[in-house]
Amino acid sequence: MSVERHYDREFVRTFFTSPTAVEGEDDSAKMIRSAARLRGMQAPDVWVPDNEDATAPNMRDEGIQNIIDVVADHGADFPGEIHPRMVWHRESPGTRYQGFKHMMEVADPENGAIEHIDGFVIPEVGDIDDWKKADECFTIVENEYGLEEGSLSMSVIVESGEAELAMGDLREEMGKPSNNLERLFLLVDGEVDYTKDMRAMTPTGELPPWPELRHNTSRGASAAGLIAVDGPYDDIRDEAGYQERMTENRAKGMTGIWSLTPGQVVAANTAPLPPKTGSWLLEVGDEDVELTEEDGRQVYDGPDLSLSDNGDGTYTLAVGGDERTLDEDEVTEELLEMTSYVPSMNDIVDSMEEFEAAKAAGKGAIAMTQAATLVVDGVEVEVSKDRMWDEATYQAAQTPVALFQDVYEHRPDQHEELEEMYGADVVERATNVGN
Amino acid sequence: MSVERHYDREFVRTFFTSPTAVEGEDDSAKMIRSAARLRGMQAPDVWVPDNEDATAPNMRDEGIQNIIDVVADHGADFPGEIHPRMVWHRESPGTRYQGFKHMMEVADPENGAIEHIDGFVIPEVGDIDDWKKADECFTIVENEYGLEEGSLSMSVIVESGEAELAMGDLREEMGKPSNNLERLFLLVDGEVDYTKDMRAMTPTGELPPWPELRHNTSRGASAAGLIAVDGPYDDIRDEAGYQERMTENRAKGMTGIWSLTPGQVVAANTAPLPPKTGSWLLEVGDEDVELTEEDGRQVYDGPDLSLSDNGDGTYTLAVGGDERTLDEDEVTEELLEMTSYVPSMNDIVDSMEEFEAAKAAGKGAIAMTQAATLVVDGVEVEVSKDRMWDEATYQAAQTPVALFQDVYEHRPDQHEELEEMYGADVVERATNVGN
Amino acid sequence: MSVERHYDREFVRTFFTSPTAVEGEDDSAKMIRSAARLRGMQAPDVWVPDNEDATAPNMRDEGIQNIIDVVADHGADFPGEIHPRMVWHRESPGTRYQGFKHMMEVADPENGAIEHIDGFVIPEVGDIDDWKKADECFTIVENEYGLEEGSLSMSVIVESGEAELAMGDLREEMGKPSNNLERLFLLVDGEVDYTKDMRAMTPTGELPPWPELRHNTSRGASAAGLIAVDGPYDDIRDEAGYQERMTENRAKGMTGIWSLTPGQVVAANTAPLPPKTGSWLLEVGDEDVELTEEDGRQVYDGPDLSLSDNGDGTYTLAVGGDERTLDEDEVTEELLEMTSYVPSMNDIVDSMEEFEAAKAAGKGAIAMTQAATLVVDGVEVEVSKDRMWDEATYQAAQTPVALFQDVYEHRPDQHEELEEMYGADVVERATNVGN
């Protein structure tokens, strides 16, 4: 236990793998070089030149050479972190030894790559003792080339039942003097191999959703101060599905996701950031419909809800097939229940500043109000919601802002796009709030 | 390991926090005093004068004084248990020391409160070693004031990944001679802080559902002989949502829930008790519709199902858009599949008595029958369901009755309301069955 | 630690319990004998003459005698494995001792049954130390009668929170020299008693779904090299529900399920095998509708989707109430998103062979294409999907084939039915692929 955990990123949005040697050196050198040249929202937080699954087994020595060449040439200018994926397998000493030798090669200072390398990704880990074997390989590599012990970070792919269980032991094991597991960085779910390892089957062959695995990964990361990243989303053309998966993941505390294409990188870099403008949702049936703003009013224009003013102080509200006559208070109450608000970055910063001011004035809790004029079939209804904010609410609300600040600090190449997105004023306030 | 676990309640329905010192002593004294005066269904099983989140940080010494004053004055007459919440944090020794000093003050017999105090609630616990630190504070307090070791119970708020993991170790750790963890009482989920700790985000800022956390809490409680309680339900006006959450929780083995308002206390005290009268449900689409009893028949009166007797021995049944011609057996079978029955307290007691008699007569399993006349569009169909009861079914069915008996034993102030609800006869039979 | 794990089955589809002594010896002898005579798809992979819950407490000594008699008579010809369930309880030494004595009786070679017995099922286990007590009983029994240590397999019913937790320790504990836990075989969920132990309640008394328990059982089995089996499905007439439960289970890595009736045995033996013919699904609303093949085209014939060719290069597509005008590419894209394909056994074997050939030719990944002509309202649309196959995809796709091969190797009595189902040619190719 010789060093503090070395990484300074608290959030990682994108884990982008690119093949290192697919079919002949020319092509793969091209693919890996094009990944190295990504910038801004198109560049991932963590770039993973992949010498495991994305590279044919018989091309892996060439793959390592490609990694070295490309990182030596382009690593200095790459805006994210670089963590090549090595080969490793909990059940194959030969594969583990191959991974160790590859790390040695990449780390050799004479090859000119290691100064741009932040760590390595180790796939197919098993139980905690297997994680320690990998950690020991890192320590030997560091010692051999005079790198500080623990300075190379280690990310793992969780793709076996035993690795899932190992995540429950990390907090305890990371403190032990006989390992350098403080080098751990990302816990990445690998659902394809996990599905195989669990012998799971679906009729169409699509991946099971594995909600419990994702929870356990997120919890393991939280308990051990690491970062949880979800696995690849197979259907690369299904952008809506990728967005939905990320929304689900964020509700589980998993901010990062694997990206298989530059398009997925952009989507995943952007998704966890709060929107530029807030929006009102109306829950109709099982769906949340976003209302359209017109002159400061929120208009619902769909077939599933209708409202008419009967002129005698009562209203007729029909939701789906169900029609009721309500007075004004009842109709307001009813619509209020169906309404929710997605705050913008600006709204979140406003609320945080308001709470900070209240706290400075000695108040433990204040009510935050959200109000809107809803319009359904031309009938206007005013709704207004209060939410109590105390210290806990404040801190939970802070997560998206903390993410933004982490991005802003570590990715200067995204400043311009962030300012275009939010405006310079909001960016500045968001950068300063809560500190 | 000097004492047996001291608590004699096996179920806790309501965990009601009230602020101790919000903004100036007068107001908060009023709020805490009004909580102390609750009785019957309005009084919680566990009352938690809250000196943590519900009290501003700079008012916490005053909060402790308020707790002492109010408990000394009203504690003798309060019908539930009293477990004040102290400050504590796994990452702050200063906060832990403050919590310890507060417990000392409350426990000082000269202050006249401790004889009415059943235990303390410790928020923000971390891994199992942190739980042990808290336990040691309790032991010192007990020793200092001549209380029996382990006599003060300890409930914790689970609001971090490491605390969630710790619940897997409780059973093993509670037996060790170097601690008094047998004092553990409630495992309470705290979803607001947990969400922050997991860095989870939702678009609208509402809390994620955290099904795995609730499962793990329930399982931890079951394995260690403790009681699992779900966290606060933020939207205090959404009574239907609170009911739905409690139904979900009970299916997870989590009977208790946090209550933020006296209204939530009443709802949560009542919800886990079996209904006065049974009811038939018909599953139409994804919804269970409760049928209306008319002259002993169960009538469906809605738009999603229609049935007509074709006069030639066939029937036309339309569910949603899907219309089919069926003979009498088929239509009976079809409706039977859609039907389920929610037994009343009386039904459960009947079934238990019937099984007990059969067992006494040497039978291991008997069939229980539920029958009804369904009416759809004026057409009558007789349905009848058998369910095999063996020892395991009997014991699983016993849970609501065991809950009722626990309530009846510990909450004499609720006897009158229970008798009003069920009638004296059912109350008496329910009190005696299964013992 | 004297022997390797003895079992050679990697998959168990059916865990079929039959009562051993219900009400008088004649009847129960009949029931147990009829179970012993099952063959082919009607015979389970694992037959469990049940001397616990399915037998009245006062009949359990007679039950053991029945087991011995029937297994001695019919065991040699029974095509599956035989694992009688003994009595056991983590909280009752008397029950544990009774179970031990029963095992001794069954194992006595003079009784003629043990040579046909593969192991015993132990219900109501607690934490890992309780599993070790049961294991020690097996070891004593083996030693007493000169059986090889570890040769009797042990399956457990997981029906308590502590047993659920114990599954996280198996991998570590099974290696220890002081036990023979390598004898472990099946981890079987027992949801009725688990529900009681967790004190869970549902309004109608039906079992909660317990998704987390099933995940943890599946993961525990995967990490320790065991086989996970889901518990009984109560509503024995609800065949669609049983199928749905099995589909869910397989997506969790739980291939086996408890069967309470011969009808459930057939359903559960067949369900995990890939279908004879592939089929196209169209997702409309929340449902997957299977398309009808007509002359090689896939026809949708339902009310929820309509398509018309406007004759000007545009199409009108209506999904539910939502109608849109799209050009040809858009309509193709739209329908492609809604479409999925359930591959047949033949398709899976084809894909595996194709990938194996590509790998032999030095390729790490190839695209597999699925194409179809969809017909909606007479309008034809060609859709085609590519899926990238790499080594991981190949291995995950292999699971149903590995299951088939396991069945084919161990159940010669099912060969005829498998050949009827798939044809001899497909059976032969499926038997050989991947080896």
Side-chain angles (χ1 to χ4, degrees):
Chain A
M1 196 168 56
S2 51
V3 295
E4 286 290 292
R5 288 180 216 166
H6 87 292
Y7 52 88
D8 60 353
R9 292 220 61 167
E10 295 182 67
F11 293 90
V12 159
R13 297 164 293 171
T14 42
F15 177 93
F16 176 55
T17 47
S18 65
T20 57
V22 188
E23 294 181 42
E25 205 177 325
D26 288 352
D27 262 14
S28 70
K30 218 166 103 187
M31 292 183 72
I32 193 177
R33 269 179 212 279
S34 75
R37 289 197 195 99
L38 297 170
R39 296 293 180 274
M41 283 296 172
Q42 300 198 294
D45 286 340
V46 168
W47 169 40
V48 183
D50 181 13
N51 207 42
E52 196 217 16
D53 278 357
T55 299
N58 59 344
M59 297 295 284
R60 283 176 182 154
D61 291 335
E62 289 85 343
I64 285 296
Q65 199 49 55
N66 267 354
I67 291 174
I68 290 170
D69 293 347
V70 174
V71 173
D73 289 354
H74 300 279
D77 299 325
F78 187 74
E81 298 201 3
I82 306 176
H83 299 250
R85 180 156 76 161
M86 302 291 100
V87 292
W88 187 268
H89 203 289
R90 59 195 175 282
E91 287 166 9
S92 163
T95 307
R96 296 197 295 269
Y97 183 49
Q98 190 186 18
F100 170 62
K101 284 188 295 186
H102 286 164
M103 281 197 278
M104 272 289 187
E105 264 183 84
V106 175
D108 187 337
E110 298 209 348
N111 290 331
I114 189 65
E115 62 193 291
H116 312 303
I117 298 276
D118 298 274
F120 293 101
V121 175
I122 305 297
E124 295 287 2
V125 288
D127 47 28
I128 192 72
D129 282 352
D130 187 60
W131 300 41
K132 292 178 186 170
K133 294 175 195 173
D135 165 57
E136 172 66 358
C137 292
F138 281 70
T139 301
I140 290 174
V141 166
E142 286 164 343
N143 181 66
E144 184 67 13
Y145 293 120
L147 301 168
E148 192 179 8
E149 238 178 273
S151 60
L152 288 171
S153 85
M154 170 169 144
S155 298
V156 297
I157 314 288
V158 175
E159 44 196 334
S160 65
E162 49 266 46
E164 185 185 350
L165 287 165
M167 294 190 293
D169 299 324
L170 286 182
R171 190 175 159 82
E172 204 175 310
E173 295 289 344
M174 282 167 72
K176 294 192 175 164
S178 49
N179 66 54
N180 287 307
L181 283 174
E182 294 94 336
R183 70 168 80 252
L184 279 167
F185 179 41
L186 305 179
L187 302 176
V188 186
D189 285 345
E191 278 95 351
V192 178
D193 277 290
Y194 182 81
T195 297
K196 174 195 71 180
D197 194 64
M198 295 283 275
R199 298 194 158 179
M201 297 185 269
T202 59
T204 58
E206 72 177 343
L207 292 172
W210 299 121
E212 297 90 359
L213 169 67
R214 287 182 282 155
H215 176 75
N216 293 338
T217 303
S218 187
R219 179 186 63 180
S222 173
L226 307 177
I227 298 173
V229 172
D230 190 24
Y233 190 81
D234 254 19
D235 188 348
I236 53 180
R237 293 178 332 169
D238 180 10
E239 292 166 35
Y242 194 59
Q243 289 290 350
E244 208 177 305
R245 176 76 171 200
M246 289 191 286
T247 303
E248 261 185 41
N249 285 343
R250 287 196 299 276
K252 288 174 158 290
M254 192 174 241
T255 308
I257 193 167
W258 200 313
S259 302
L260 291 168
T261 64
Q264 286 192 338
V265 171
V266 174
N269 273 341
T270 316
L273 294 165
K276 158 70 178 165
T277 46
S279 54
W280 286 89
L281 305 178
L282 205 65
E283 192 185 357
V284 187
D286 290 338
E287 267 185 294
D288 281 324
V289 181
E290 190 175 327
L291 302 181
T292 314
E293 187 178 329
E294 286 175 16
D295 307 325
R297 307 174 317 161
Q298 304 294 330
V299 180
Y300 173 78
D301 180 26
D304 297 319
L305 185 76
S306 73
L307 180 64
S308 56
D309 183 339
N310 301 329
D312 59 354
T314 69
Y315 296 80
T316 302
L317 177 71
V319 184
D322 178 31
E323 191 173 299
R324 278 175 304 165
T325 302
L326 304 169
D327 68 23
E328 191 173 343
D329 285 355
E330 289 166 339
V331 89
T332 303
E333 178 69 19
E334 203 62 37
L335 288 174
L336 183 56
E337 272 307 311
M338 298 165 70
T339 305
S340 57
Y341 182 66
V342 178
S344 67
M345 173 70 96
N346 194 36
D347 294 325
I348 299 174
V349 172
D350 275 352
S351 298
M352 286 179 64
E353 289 176 350
E354 197 177 327
F355 182 78
E356 286 172 3
K359 195 162 59 168
K363 288 196 187 176
I366 58 171
M368 298 286 181
T369 303
Q370 292 161 341
T373 306
L374 305 185
V375 184
V376 181
D377 296 339
V379 181
E380 295 195 358
V381 180
E382 305 289 329
V383 297
S384 156
K385 273 183 191 286
D386 278 350
R387 193 175 172 204
M388 285 303 297
W389 271 51
D390 64 8
E391 185 66 27
T393 336
Y394 169 75
Q395 290 190 17
Q398 201 170 354
T399 303
V401 173
L403 173 96
F404 171 82
Q405 294 175 343
D406 189 70
V407 168
Y408 198 81
E409 183 185 344
H410 293 95
R411 296 294 304 274
D413 62 309
Q414 296 186 349
H415 284 189
E416 202 176 307
E417 280 160 294
L418 292 171
E419 272 162 35
E420 267 167 34
M421 194 187 303
Y422 292 118
D425 174 57
V426 171
V427 165
E428 194 190 329
R429 289 171 59 222
T431 312
N432 294 317
V433 76
N435 292 320
Chain B
M1 196 167 55
S2 51
V3 294
E4 285 291 292
R5 290 180 215 167
H6 87 293
Y7 51 89
D8 60 353
R9 292 219 63 166
E10 294 182 70
F11 293 90
V12 159
R13 297 163 295 172
T14 42
F15 177 93
F16 176 55
T17 48
S18 65
T20 58
V22 187
E23 296 180 42
E25 205 177 325
D26 289 352
D27 262 15
S28 69
K30 219 166 101 187
M31 291 184 72
I32 192 176
R33 271 180 211 278
S34 75
R37 289 197 196 97
L38 296 171
R39 296 293 180 273
M41 284 296 171
Q42 301 198 294
D45 287 338
V46 169
W47 169 39
V48 182
D50 181 13
N51 207 42
E52 196 218 17
D53 278 357
T55 299
N58 59 344
M59 296 296 284
R60 284 175 182 154
D61 291 335
E62 289 85 344
I64 285 296
Q65 201 47 56
N66 266 353
I67 290 173
I68 289 169
D69 294 348
V70 174
V71 172
D73 289 356
H74 300 279
D77 300 325
F78 185 75
E81 299 201 2
I82 307 178
H83 298 250
R85 180 157 76 161
M86 301 291 101
V87 293
W88 187 269
H89 203 289
R90 59 194 177 282
E91 285 166 9
S92 163
T95 306
R96 296 197 295 269
Y97 184 50
Q98 190 186 17
F100 170 63
K101 285 188 295 188
H102 286 164
M103 281 197 277
M104 272 289 187
E105 264 183 84
V106 175
D108 187 338
E110 298 210 348
N111 291 331
I114 189 64
E115 61 194 291
H116 311 305
I117 297 276
D118 298 275
F120 292 102
V121 176
I122 306 297
E124 295 288 2
V125 288
D127 47 29
I128 192 72
D129 282 352
D130 188 60
W131 300 41
K132 292 178 186 170
K133 294 175 194 174
D135 165 58
E136 171 67 358
C137 291
F138 280 71
T139 301
I140 291 173
V141 167
E142 286 163 344
N143 182 65
E144 184 67 12
Y145 293 120
L147 302 168
E148 190 180 9
E149 239 179 272
S151 61
L152 288 170
S153 85
M154 171 170 144
S155 299
V156 297
I157 315 286
V158 175
E159 45 195 333
S160 65
E162 48 266 46
E164 185 185 351
L165 286 165
M167 293 189 295
D169 300 324
L170 286 181
R171 188 175 161 82
E172 201 176 310
E173 295 289 343
M174 282 168 70
K176 293 191 176 164
S178 49
N179 66 54
N180 287 306
L181 283 174
E182 295 93 337
R183 69 169 80 252
L184 279 167
F185 178 41
L186 305 178
L187 302 176
V188 186
D189 285 344
E191 278 96 350
V192 178
D193 277 290
Y194 182 81
T195 298
K196 174 195 73 182
D197 194 63
M198 294 284 275
R199 299 195 157 177
M201 298 185 268
T202 59
T204 59
E206 72 176 344
L207 291 173
W210 299 121
E212 296 91 358
L213 170 67
R214 287 183 282 154
H215 175 75
N216 292 338
T217 302
S218 187
R219 179 186 62 180
S222 172
L226 307 177
I227 298 172
V229 173
D230 191 25
Y233 190 82
D234 254 19
D235 188 348
I236 54 180
R237 294 177 331 168
D238 180 10
E239 293 165 35
Y242 195 58
Q243 288 289 351
E244 206 177 306
R245 177 76 170 198
M246 290 191 286
T247 302
E248 259 184 43
N249 285 343
R250 287 196 298 278
K252 288 173 157 292
M254 192 175 241
T255 308
I257 193 167
W258 200 314
S259 301
L260 292 167
T261 66
Q264 286 192 337
V265 171
V266 174
N269 273 341
T270 316
L273 294 166
K276 158 72 178 164
T277 44
S279 53
W280 286 88
L281 305 178
L282 204 66
E283 191 184 358
V284 187
D286 291 336
E287 266 186 295
D288 281 324
V289 181
E290 190 176 326
L291 302 181
T292 314
E293 187 179 328
E294 285 175 17
D295 307 325
R297 306 174 316 160
Q298 304 294 330
V299 181
Y300 173 78
D301 180 25
D304 297 318
L305 186 76
S306 73
L307 180 63
S308 57
D309 183 339
N310 301 330
D312 59 355
T314 69
Y315 295 80
T316 302
L317 176 71
V319 184
D322 178 32
E323 193 173 299
R324 278 176 304 166
T325 302
L326 304 169
D327 66 24
E328 192 172 344
D329 284 355
E330 288 167 338
V331 90
T332 303
E333 177 70 19
E334 203 62 36
L335 288 173
L336 183 57
E337 272 307 311
M338 299 167 69
T339 305
S340 57
Y341 183 66
V342 178
S344 67
M345 173 71 96
N346 194 36
D347 294 325
I348 299 173
V349 172
D350 275 352
S351 299
M352 285 179 65
E353 289 176 349
E354 197 177 327
F355 182 80
E356 287 172 3
K359 196 162 59 169
K363 288 196 188 177
I366 57 170
M368 299 285 183
T369 303
Q370 291 162 343
T373 306
L374 305 186
V375 183
V376 181
D377 297 339
V379 181
E380 296 196 358
V381 180
E382 305 289 329
V383 297
S384 158
K385 272 183 193 290
D386 279 350
R387 192 177 173 204
M388 285 305 296
W389 271 51
D390 64 10
E391 185 66 27
T393 335
Y394 168 75
Q395 291 191 16
Q398 200 170 354
T399 303
V401 173
L403 172 97
F404 171 82
Q405 293 175 343
D406 189 70
V407 168
Y408 198 81
E409 182 185 346
H410 294 95
R411 295 297 303 275
D413 62 309
Q414 296 186 350
H415 285 187
E416 202 176 307
E417 281 159 295
L418 291 171
E419 272 160 34
E420 267 166 34
M421 195 188 304
Y422 293 117
D425 173 56
V426 170
V427 165
E428 195 190 331
R429 290 172 59 224
T431 311
N432 294 319
V433 75
N435 291 318
Chain C
M1 196 167 54
S2 50
V3 295
E4 285 291 293
R5 291 180 215 165
H6 87 291
Y7 51 89
D8 59 353
R9 292 219 62 166
E10 294 182 69
F11 293 89
V12 160
R13 295 164 294 171
T14 43
F15 177 92
F16 176 55
T17 48
S18 64
T20 58
V22 188
E23 294 182 42
E25 205 177 325
D26 289 351
D27 262 15
S28 70
K30 217 167 103 188
M31 291 184 71
I32 192 176
R33 270 180 211 278
S34 74
R37 290 198 195 97
L38 296 172
R39 296 293 180 273
M41 283 296 170
Q42 299 197 296
D45 287 337
V46 169
W47 170 38
V48 183
D50 181 14
N51 206 42
E52 196 217 16
D53 279 357
T55 299
N58 59 346
M59 296 296 284
R60 284 177 181 152
D61 291 335
E62 289 85 343
I64 285 296
Q65 200 48 56
N66 267 352
I67 290 174
I68 289 169
D69 294 347
V70 175
V71 173
D73 289 354
H74 300 279
D77 299 325
F78 186 74
E81 300 201 0
I82 306 177
H83 299 250
R85 180 156 77 161
M86 302 291 100
V87 292
W88 187 269
H89 203 288
R90 59 193 177 282
E91 285 166 9
S92 163
T95 306
R96 295 198 295 268
Y97 183 49
Q98 189 185 18
F100 169 63
K101 284 190 296 188
H102 285 163
M103 281 197 279
M104 271 290 189
E105 265 182 84
V106 176
D108 187 337
E110 299 209 347
N111 290 331
I114 188 64
E115 61 194 290
H116 312 303
I117 297 277
D118 298 276
F120 293 101
V121 175
I122 305 298
E124 294 288 1
V125 289
D127 46 29
I128 191 73
D129 282 352
D130 188 59
W131 301 40
K132 292 178 187 170
K133 295 175 194 173
D135 165 57
E136 172 66 359
C137 293
F138 280 70
T139 301
I140 290 173
V141 167
E142 287 163 341
N143 181 65
E144 185 67 12
Y145 292 120
L147 301 168
E148 191 180 9
E149 240 178 272
S151 61
L152 288 171
S153 86
M154 169 170 147
S155 299
V156 298
I157 315 287
V158 174
E159 45 195 334
S160 65
E162 49 266 46
E164 186 185 351
L165 286 165
M167 294 191 293
D169 299 325
L170 286 182
R171 188 175 160 82
E172 202 175 310
E173 295 289 344
M174 282 167 72
K176 293 192 176 165
S178 49
N179 66 53
N180 287 307
L181 284 174
E182 294 94 336
R183 71 169 81 253
L184 280 166
F185 178 40
L186 305 178
L187 302 176
V188 186
D189 284 345
E191 278 96 350
V192 178
D193 277 289
Y194 182 82
T195 298
K196 173 196 72 181
D197 194 65
M198 294 283 277
R199 300 195 156 179
M201 297 185 269
T202 59
T204 59
E206 72 176 342
L207 292 174
W210 299 120
E212 296 90 359
L213 169 66
R214 288 183 281 155
H215 175 75
N216 292 338
T217 303
S218 186
R219 179 186 63 181
S222 171
L226 308 177
I227 298 173
V229 173
D230 191 25
Y233 190 81
D234 254 18
D235 188 348
I236 54 178
R237 293 179 331 168
D238 180 9
E239 293 166 34
Y242 194 57
Q243 289 289 351
E244 207 178 307
R245 177 75 169 199
M246 290 191 285
T247 303
E248 259 184 42
N249 285 343
R250 288 195 298 276
K252 288 173 158 290
M254 192 174 240
T255 307
I257 193 166
W258 199 314
S259 301
L260 292 168
T261 65
Q264 285 192 339
V265 171
V266 175
N269 272 341
T270 317
L273 293 166
K276 157 72 176 163
T277 44
S279 53
W280 286 88
L281 306 177
L282 204 66
E283 192 184 357
V284 187
D286 290 338
E287 267 185 294
D288 281 323
V289 181
E290 190 176 327
L291 302 182
T292 314
E293 187 178 328
E294 287 175 15
D295 307 325
R297 305 172 318 159
Q298 304 294 329
V299 180
Y300 173 78
D301 180 26
D304 296 319
L305 185 75
S306 73
L307 180 63
S308 56
D309 183 339
N310 301 330
D312 59 354
T314 70
Y315 296 80
T316 302
L317 177 72
V319 184
D322 179 30
E323 192 173 298
R324 278 175 304 164
T325 303
L326 304 170
D327 66 25
E328 192 172 342
D329 284 354
E330 288 166 339
V331 91
T332 302
E333 177 70 18
E334 204 60 38
L335 288 173
L336 183 57
E337 271 308 309
M338 299 167 70
T339 305
S340 57
Y341 182 67
V342 178
S344 67
M345 173 70 96
N346 195 36
D347 294 326
I348 299 174
V349 173
D350 275 352
S351 298
M352 285 179 65
E353 288 176 350
E354 196 178 328
F355 182 78
E356 287 172 4
K359 197 162 57 169
K363 286 196 189 179
I366 57 170
M368 299 285 183
T369 303
Q370 292 162 341
T373 306
L374 306 184
V375 183
V376 182
D377 296 339
V379 181
E380 297 195 357
V381 180
E382 305 289 329
V383 297
S384 157
K385 273 183 192 287
D386 279 348
R387 195 179 171 203
M388 284 305 296
W389 271 51
D390 63 11
E391 184 65 29
T393 334
Y394 169 76
Q395 291 190 16
Q398 200 170 357
T399 302
V401 173
L403 172 97
F404 171 82
Q405 293 174 343
D406 190 69
V407 168
Y408 198 82
E409 181 185 347
H410 293 95
R411 295 297 302 276
D413 63 309
Q414 296 185 350
H415 284 188
E416 202 176 307
E417 280 160 296
L418 291 172
E419 272 161 35
E420 267 167 33
M421 194 187 303
Y422 292 118
D425 173 55
V426 170
V427 165
E428 194 191 329
R429 288 171 61 222
T431 311
N432 293 319
V433 77
N435 293 320

